[in-house]
């Protein structure tokens, strides 16, 4: 029996009624969701207030970079001089060598902080004994949780050319070790290697997690085809974590002017300033030790602008190469 179609006005009323019910249900679900998440938003209020005070409120101090700042006159009573502080900063004979030192140390750290954790993750992934694997992981993670104040004292004792453990081990072999923390050539290399030693274990966590996402059947197929572990690594493992490697490399570009203040400040000396001084320690000496607040603020503002440009470029490249987007 053929069903007759409902009149158009009745169909319209039914559609409007159904649409209204959908909208009401949607509003009800949204209201319930907001009520459930309200305690979480309340919990965030102290953190938001602290970020607003210390991260955004302090940005008013950027104005010091454009003033002949006198602490007794304050921010609003000091004379405005425009870009004069930046001109003075850029013409200082030590400024551009400091930028060179910063870029060299930071770039070397950025590269090795990708290469070494990847190699370590690949090697650790081959360990079959779970207990031994976890023990190694725990052992290499520990330095990450030690401050540079502690590690600086340890390395000063270990690398001392007269009484250090390294010198005592090498002297019976007739090997004369250099003064790693007092030689202009070895100091930046020592900073890079010790920083990588401190952080490579913790940095490998991301790559170990990426390795778990690779389909095991790919390795089984490769073994059937006669591929050894080296071939499997080249053609399965590395391509499987390639996007993670690219992403971490690109995001590391934002730290191109972060040479590591804590590490270098606790380990450098006036002897190695020519190759070991970085922008952060330079700003600290200008502002805190020499009380040249306007010049130090200008140097810090210059670093912030350059870092911002690199952050924008790094997130753009991360989106283009690895599909990583924040928004």
């Amino acid at each position: 029996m053929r069903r007759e179609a409902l009149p158009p006005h009745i169909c319209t009323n039914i559609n409007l009624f159904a649409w209204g019910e959908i909208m009401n249900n949607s509003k009800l679900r949204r209201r319930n969701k907001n009520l459930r998440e309200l305690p979480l938003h309340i919990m965030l209020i102290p953190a938001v207030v602290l970020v607003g005070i210390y991260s955004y409120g302090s940005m008013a101090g950027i104005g010091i970079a454009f003033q002949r700042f006198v602490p007794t006159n304050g921010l609003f009573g000091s004379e405005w001089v425009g870009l004069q502080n930046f001109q003075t900063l850029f013409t200082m004979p030590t400024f551009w060598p400091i930028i060179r030192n910063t870029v060299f140390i930071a770039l070397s750290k950025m590269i090795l902080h990708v290469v070494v954790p990847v190699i370590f993750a690949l090697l650790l992934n081959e360990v079959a004994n779970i207990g031994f694997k976890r023990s190694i992981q725990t052992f290499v993670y520990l330095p990450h949780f030690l401050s540079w104040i502690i590690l600086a004292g340890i390395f000063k004792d270990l690398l001392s050319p007269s009484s250090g453990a390294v010198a005592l081990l090498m002297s019976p072999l007739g090997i004369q070790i250099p003064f790693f923390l007092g030689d202009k050539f070895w100091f930046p290399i020592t900073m890079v290697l010790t920083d990588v030693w401190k952080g490579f274990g913790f940095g490998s966590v991301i790559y170990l997690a990426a390795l778990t996402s690779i389909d095991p059947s790919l390795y089984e197929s490769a073994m059937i085809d006669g591929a050894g572990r080296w071939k499997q690594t080249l053609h399965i493992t590395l391509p499987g974590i390639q996007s993670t490697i690219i992403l971490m490399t690109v995001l590391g570009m934002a730290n191109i002017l972060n040479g590591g203040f804590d590490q270098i400040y606790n380990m450098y000396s006036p002897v190695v300033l020519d190759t070991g001084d970085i922008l952060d320690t330079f700003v600290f000496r200008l502002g805190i030790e020499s009380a040249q607040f306007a010049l130090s603020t200008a140097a810090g503002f210059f670093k912030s602008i350059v870092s911002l440009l690199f952050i924008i470029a790094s997130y753009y490249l991360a989106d283009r190469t690895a599909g990583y987007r924040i928004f």
Side-chain angles (χ1 to χ4, degrees):
M1 182 177 179
R2 182 173 175 272
R3 297 182 60 183
E4 294 184 1
L6 294 173
H9 68 280
I10 296 179
C11 292
T12 302
N13 291 336
I14 292 175
N15 292 335
L16 290 176
F17 177 77
W19 178 252
E21 286 295 321
I22 293 173
M23 293 300 295
N24 289 334
N25 292 335
S26 176
K27 291 179 180 178
L28 183 60
R29 286 195 299 269
R30 192 180 302 114
R31 189 180 302 112
N32 292 336
K33 180 181 178 182
N34 291 337
L35 289 175
R36 288 197 306 269
E37 294 179 352
L38 181 61
L40 300 178
H41 289 89
I42 295 176
M43 185 176 65
L44 284 174
I45 290 177
V48 172
V49 171
L50 290 176
V51 169
I53 294 174
Y54 292 105
S55 296
Y56 292 96
S58 59
M59 290 179 67
I62 293 175
I64 297 175
F66 305 94
Q67 294 179 331
R68 186 174 289 107
F69 182 72
V70 179
T72 54
N73 295 337
L75 180 62
F76 300 101
S78 299
E79 179 186 358
W80 293 88
V81 294
L83 299 177
Q84 181 178 335
N85 290 321
F86 293 92
Q87 294 174 356
T88 304
L89 184 69
F90 295 153
T91 55
M92 294 178 67
T94 58
F95 180 74
W96 294 111
I98 288 172
I99 296 296
R100 179 200 63 205
N101 298 339
T102 305
V103 172
F104 171 76
I105 293 175
L107 187 61
S108 300
K109 288 181 179 180
M110 184 186 74
I111 294 172
L112 291 180
H113 271 300
V114 174
V115 175
V116 176
V118 167
I119 295 175
F120 176 74
L122 293 176
L123 294 175
L124 194 62
N125 192 53
E126 298 297 322
V127 177
N129 190 314
I130 301 299
F132 179 71
K133 182 177 181 178
R134 290 178 177 175
S135 300
I136 293 297
Q137 283 181 293
T138 303
F139 181 75
V140 298
Y141 290 169
L142 287 178
H144 174 78
F145 300 99
L146 298 177
S147 69
W148 275 114
I149 297 176
I150 298 173
L151 291 177
I154 293 174
F155 281 120
K156 286 179 180 179
D157 291 336
L158 287 176
L159 301 178
S160 173
S162 58
S163 59
V166 177
L168 295 177
L169 290 174
M170 294 294 105
S171 57
L173 302 176
I175 300 175
Q176 185 70 28
I177 67 167
F179 189 8
F180 292 104
L181 299 180
D183 186 274
K184 295 180 181 180
F185 174 79
W186 286 104
F187 182 81
I189 298 175
T190 305
M191 295 300 98
V192 172
L193 295 180
T194 53
D195 186 74
V196 173
W197 170 83
K198 182 179 185 292
F200 83 92
F202 192 81
S204 64
V205 174
I206 297 174
Y207 303 105
L208 288 170
L211 289 171
T212 60
S213 64
I214 300 177
D215 189 358
S217 63
L218 296 176
Y219 294 104
E220 297 174 1
S221 301
M223 291 175 63
I224 293 173
D225 292 337
R229 300 304 300 176
W230 177 245
K231 291 292 184 181
Q232 293 176 32
T233 301
L234 287 180
H235 300 289
I236 299 177
T237 307
L238 287 177
I241 62 173
Q242 180 181 1
S243 60
T244 304
I245 295 174
I246 294 174
L247 176 63
M248 298 306 297
T249 303
V250 169
L251 295 181
M253 291 173 52
N255 295 318
I256 196 65
L257 289 183
N258 288 330
F261 172 79
D262 293 344
Q263 177 196 21
I264 293 180
Y265 180 75
N266 285 287
M267 297 176 72
Y268 82 149
S269 62
V271 180
V272 296
L273 284 182
D274 291 343
T275 58
D277 198 15
I278 61 172
L279 191 57
D280 289 332
T281 54
F282 175 70
V283 170
F284 180 83
R285 288 200 313 277
L286 276 180
I288 304 301
E289 297 180 1
S290 302
Q292 299 185 47
F293 301 111
L295 280 179
S296 64
T297 305
F301 186 56
F302 169 78
K303 176 190 173 182
S304 299
I305 294 298
V306 174
S307 299
L308 176 63
L309 295 177
F310 272 97
I311 288 173
I312 295 173
S314 65
Y315 279 111
Y316 173 78
L317 292 175
D319 180 29
R320 300 284 293 182
T321 57
Y324 175 82
R325 301 188 68 178
I326 300 180
F327 305 108

